[in-house]
Amino acid sequence: MILIKQASVYAPEYLGVKDVLLCAGKIEAIEDNMEPNLPNCRVIEAKGKKLVPGFIDTHVHITGGGGEGSFHTQVPAVSLAELLGGGVTTVVGLLGTDGITRSVENLIARAKALKEEGISVYACTGSYGYPSITITGDVRKDIAFIEEVIGVKLAVSDHRAPNVTVDELIRLGSDARVAGMISGKCGIVLLHMGDDPKGLAPVREALGRTAIPAKIFRPTHVNRRKELLAEAFEFAKAGGYIDLTCGMTEAGAPAQCILKAKEQGVPMDHITISSDGMGSWSTYDEAGNLLKIGYSAVDAAHKEFQKLVTQCRMPVEEALTFVTSNTAKSLEIYPKKGCIKPGADADLVLLDDSLEVNSVIANGAVMVENGVVLKKGTYEG
């Protein structure tokens, strides 16, 4: 049992200075003042700190990404400490370009390992390619029967994409939708969006020809081109969720895109931010030759949240939604995740005055305290 005393609580809406009681991995109570008259109740003094929901990152290559510049460019797997350092208590793991040397089996094994180490993990089967690589041989069965799997990954409008037909996209969307309904999951098709001018045209046609809900298709990296971003804004207005990738600069920076979306009347609760953590970024010349490669850090979403508050002057409670409540709702795990209220999972982050991560609690266990990582992965030392 843990009692967090006198924190400024953002749920993400501001609740004021409160005491928050945690018990058995859940938030038990939120009151103005509680006295710890219970045995074995640990007290965390949080006066002057902000208590916020644990961050949810919907796009992390937990087994490592890359490999686009031959085998030596494969990115290593994410560590528990890296995730916790960014305030991440819930993560969605997935594959990327490489569905050949990387496998869904390896992805799910890493998801289970991170869960055993203390955080919450979901995953998408498939990769960039089509037909989708799976464990069971069927996307529907992966979603329905594998606990961690909530959807399927696919690349569209990209030079590395499998160039699926609209009929194939419809079939995949239908499969994910039905499997999600059967298993009580969101059943999404997470779409890696590339630079091809076709953009979201295949998705628009698929939705126009069927009764598949817009929420099933989840385009990410939509801030990589201004034309794609404009399409994404219209998609969000039509009921879809759009995901902004961290690490992009100038007009493509998530913070700038959010401000632009607000001006254009895009529903703010249908926008999320993700890090693309451990995923490789690359630049190519006009002939398609690789010029440069690197990978994204998993604390990028936290840094983008800071930027929204400190540079864009957005209220903390509003900036938080893009990495907490919006994300949880998009994955259909709200109010279990993404908020601070009785009955929710005890996934919490304490932020200091500069919005740096001070402490992290995941599933009711203190993982980081006063900037020191207490819980490390098995081989992290």
Side-chain angles (χ1 to χ4, degrees), residues 23-102:
C23 183
K26 300 287 184 180
I27 298 171
E28 185 68 25
I30 304 170
E31 302 290 347
D32 289 340
N33 186 52
M34 288 181 275
E35 295 300 327
N37 295 323
L38 299 170
N40 303 316
C41 182
R42 178 178 179 180
V43 177
I44 296 177
E45 297 293 345
K47 187 176 181 179
K49 295 183 176 64
K50 294 175 176 61
L51 184 68
V52 306
F55 286 12
I56 304 169
D57 197 328
T58 62
H59 198 122
V60 176
H61 296 267
I62 59 175
T63 57
E68 295 177 29
S70 194
F71 297 104
H72 71 280
T73 63
Q74 289 188 332
V75 182
V78 72
S79 70
L80 178 66
E82 286 174 307
L83 291 165
L84 294 174
V88 176
T89 57
T90 301
V91 63
V92 179
L94 35 70
L95 300 178
T97 314
D98 187 1
I100 301 171
T101 71
R102 311 280 192 180

Side-chain angles (χ1 to χ4, degrees), residues 53 65 67 100 136 146 192 215 220 228 245 253 262 280 307 328 334 349 357-358 370 380:
I100 301 171
T136 65
I146 299 174
H192 163 97
K215 68 175 185 175
T220 187
L228 178 59
T245 302
K262 197 170 186 178
S280 65
K307 187 186 297 184
Y334 184 92
V349 176
V357 174
N358 173 272
N370 295 322
E380 291 179 44

Side-chain angles (χ1 to χ4, degrees), residues 278-347:
M278 313 309 289
S280 65
W281 52 261
S282 49
T283 56
Y284 298 83
D285 63 19
E286 292 182 357
N289 298 308
L290 180 66
L291 297 176
K292 192 175 182 180
I293 193 168
Y295 71 89
S296 304
V298 293
D299 65 352
H302 168 250
K303 289 182 177 179
E304 203 65 38
F305 155 73
Q306 286 181 305
K307 187 186 297 184
L308 280 167
V309 177
T310 60
Q311 296 182 20
C312 300
R313 304 302 179 189
M314 183 175 286
V316 170
E317 54 266 43
E318 184 177 359
L320 279 171
T321 61
F322 306 108
V323 288
T324 60
S325 57
N326 288 4
T327 320
K329 290 172 184 177
S330 77
L331 299 176
E332 298 182 9
I333 54 174
Y334 184 92
K336 178 182 178 182
K337 305 284 188 184
C339 62
I340 301 178
K341 60 176 60 178
D345 287 353
D347 293 339

Side-chain angles (χ1 to χ4, degrees), residues 189-213:
V189 181
L190 196 153
L191 296 170
H192 163 97
M193 300 302 303
D195 290 324
D196 191 291
K198 290 194 300 292
L200 283 168
V203 178
R204 290 198 303 273
E205 184 175 345
L207 293 174
R209 288 170 48 187
T210 68
I212 299 172

Side-chain angles (χ1 to χ4, degrees), residues 12 33 84 87 106 115 136 190 222-223 256 263 271 299 373:
N33 186 52
L84 294 174
N106 182 226
K115 286 170 66 178
T136 65
L190 196 153
V222 298
N223 48 325
Q256 295 303 314
E263 291 175 356
I271 300 175
D299 65 352
V373 179

Side-chain angles (χ1 to χ4, degrees), residues 8-248:
S8 296
V9 178
Y10 291 82
E13 65 275 11
Y14 183 56
L15 302 184
V17 175
K18 302 286 182 180
D19 288 359
V20 180
L21 181 66
L22 315 179
C23 183
K26 300 287 184 180
I27 298 171
E28 185 68 25
I30 304 170
E31 302 290 347
D32 289 340
N33 186 52
M34 288 181 275
E35 295 300 327
N37 295 323
L38 299 170
N40 303 316
C41 182
R42 178 178 179 180
V43 177
I44 296 177
E45 297 293 345
K47 187 176 181 179
K49 295 183 176 64
K50 294 175 176 61
L51 184 68
V52 306
F55 286 12
I56 304 169
D57 197 328
T58 62
H59 198 122
V60 176
H61 296 267
I62 59 175
T63 57
E68 295 177 29
S70 194
F71 297 104
H72 71 280
T73 63
Q74 289 188 332
V75 182
V78 72
S79 70
L80 178 66
E82 286 174 307
L83 291 165
L84 294 174
V88 176
T89 57
T90 301
V91 63
V92 179
L94 35 70
L95 300 178
T97 314
D98 187 1
I100 301 171
T101 71
R102 311 280 192 180
S103 69
V104 180
E105 288 87 348
N106 182 226
L107 176 72
I108 300 305
R110 185 68 188 132
K112 290 181 181 295
L114 288 168
K115 286 170 66 178
E116 289 176 358
E117 291 173 347
I119 64 172
S120 299
V121 188
Y122 301 92
C124 286
T125 194
S127 62
Y128 275 22
Y130 185 86
S132 305
I133 58 171
T134 63
I135 290 180
T136 65
D138 188 323
V139 166
R140 295 168 298 180
K141 290 182 179 179
D142 274 20
I143 295 173
F145 293 119
I146 299 174
E147 180 183 5
E148 293 81 8
V149 176
I150 58 172
V152 58
K153 173 84 174 280
L154 178 71
V156 296
S157 300
D158 190 284
H159 67 97
R160 297 157 292 183
N163 297 305
V164 297
T165 66
V166 174
D167 284 339
E168 289 170 332
L169 183 59
I170 288 171
R171 174 53 52 201
L172 195 60
S174 296
D175 286 350
R177 168 67 169 166
V178 172
M181 293 172 67
I182 290 171
S183 57
K185 300 175 181 177
C186 56
I188 58 174
V189 181
L190 196 153
L191 296 170
H192 163 97
M193 300 302 303
D195 290 324
D196 191 291
K198 290 194 300 292
L200 283 168
V203 178
R204 290 198 303 273
E205 184 175 345
L207 293 174
R209 288 170 48 187
T210 68
I212 299 172
K215 68 175 185 175
I216 297 301
F217 295 109
R218 301 293 175 84
T220 187
H221 314 319
V222 298
N223 48 325
R224 67 188 310 156
R225 286 189 310 114
K226 64 178 182 180
E227 296 85 1
L228 178 59
L229 184 64
E231 287 186 280
F233 285 173
E234 294 305 312
F235 180 72
K237 290 177 182 178
Y241 284 94
I242 59 174
D243 186 61
L244 304 169
T245 302
C246 297
M248 299 186 190

